[in-house]
C-alpha cells in the first residue's frame, strides 16, 4: 500500500468513525454518553527547549467542553511547563498528574494559568476538570510520555515481541 493509499484509507476510517459517533450520540456533550470521546480532539507535541524542559499550551474551547489538544505527546519524561487557557464562558479547573502529587489550577472564564509538572516515566497520564460534572461531560484528556522504561525499573521477564 502506498502512502497516498494509506492516507485515503485513514480518511475513510475517520469519516466512518465520525458518522458512527454522531449516530450513537457520542459526538457532543449531554448526549447518550459521558460526553465527547477522547479521540475526537487533536493531538499535539510539546516543544523541547535546549535545557530539556518541555513546554505546551492546552485550552478549553468555548462551548465544546473539550481540551485542545485532547492528547499531548512528550518526547521523553521530565519537566513540562504548561499554559492552560479557559476560552469557555464557564469556570473550569485542571487537575494535572505530576510526580510527587497532582497539580490543581482553578480557571475562571476566559482566564489562564500555568503549571510546572514532572512526569518521569513513559506512559499515559490522564487529566481533567473535576468540578461541576465536567469529567462526566467529556472534559478529560491525556498526556503521553514517549520512551522506554529504564533497565532498573523493568520486570524480570523474557523479552516480549514488538509490533
Amino acid at each position: 500500500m502506498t502512502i497516498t493509499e494509506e492516507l485515503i484509507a485513514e480518511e475513510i476510517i475517520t469519516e466512518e468513525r465520525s458518522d458512527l459517533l454522531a449516530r450513537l450520540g457520542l459526538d457532543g456533550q449531554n448526549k447518550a454518553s459521558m460526553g465527547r470521546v477522547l479521540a475526537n480532539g487533536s493531538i499535539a507535541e510539546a516543544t523541547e527547549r535546549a535545557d530539556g524542559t518541555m513546554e505546551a499550551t492546552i485550552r478549553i474551547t468555548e462551548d465544546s467542553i473539550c481540551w485542545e489538544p485532547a492528547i499531548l505527546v512528550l518526547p521523553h519524561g521530565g519537566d513540562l511547563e504548561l499554559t492552560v487557557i479557559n476560552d469557555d464562558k464557564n469556570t473550569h479547573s485542571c487537575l494535572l498528574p505530576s510526580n510527587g502529587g497532582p497539580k490543581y489550577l482553578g480557571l475562571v472564564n476566559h482566564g489562564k494559568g500555568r503549571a510546572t509538572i514532572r512526569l518521569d516515566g513513559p506512559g499515559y497520564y490522564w487529566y481533567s476538570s473535576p468540578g461541576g460534572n465536567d469529567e462526566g461531560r467529556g472534559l478529560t484528556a491525556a498526556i503521553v510520555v514517549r520512551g522506554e522504561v529504564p533497565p532498573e525499573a523493568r520486570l524480570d521477564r523474557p523479552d516480549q515481541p514488538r509490533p
Side-chain angles (χ1 to χ4, degrees):
M1 186 178 277
T2 68
I3 293 175
T4 304
E5 290 170 330
E6 287 177 13
L7 291 174
I8 291 170
E10 185 176 318
E11 286 178 17
I12 291 169
I13 290 169
T14 303
E15 184 177 330
E16 290 172 359
R17 181 178 178 281
S18 177
D19 292 343
L20 177 62
L21 291 173
R23 185 173 57 79
L24 296 175
L26 303 178
D27 64 338
Q29 67 181 14
N30 300 327
K31 291 193 177 179
S33 77
M34 288 176 44
R36 292 191 184 275
V37 185
L38 182 62
N40 275 351
S42 63
I43 300 172
E45 293 181 272
T47 304
E48 187 172 5
R49 296 183 190 147
D51 66 357
T53 302
M54 294 161 281
E55 63 183 352
T57 299
I58 57 175
R59 65 181 60 237
I60 301 169
T61 58
E62 187 174 350
D63 293 334
S64 64
I65 308 293
C66 67
W67 294 99
E68 281 298 327
I71 301 170
L72 177 63
V73 181
L74 307 184
H76 55 77
D79 292 325
L80 170 66
E81 291 183 7
L82 199 56
T83 301
V84 184
I85 301 171
N86 179 12
D87 287 332
D88 198 19
K89 296 173 192 166
N90 296 305
T91 299
H92 298 287
S93 61
C94 186
L95 184 62
L96 294 158
S98 183
N99 295 108
K103 304 280 181 157
Y104 178 85
L105 290 174
L107 300 166
V108 298
N109 51 329
H110 297 289
K112 77 176 179 179
R114 290 182 184 263
T116 300
I117 64 173
R118 181 164 189 82
L119 300 172
D120 284 334
Y124 294 92
Y125 298 86
W126 299 91
Y127 66 95
S128 65
S129 175
N133 193 32
D134 283 349
E135 288 176 318
R137 294 186 299 157
L139 199 48
T140 60
I143 299 172
V144 178
V145 179
R146 298 178 65 196
E148 292 292 326
V149 175
E152 65 272 11
R154 294 183 185 160
L155 297 174
D156 185 21
R157 63 180 186 172
D159 287 339
Q160 301 296 306
R162 295 284 206 179

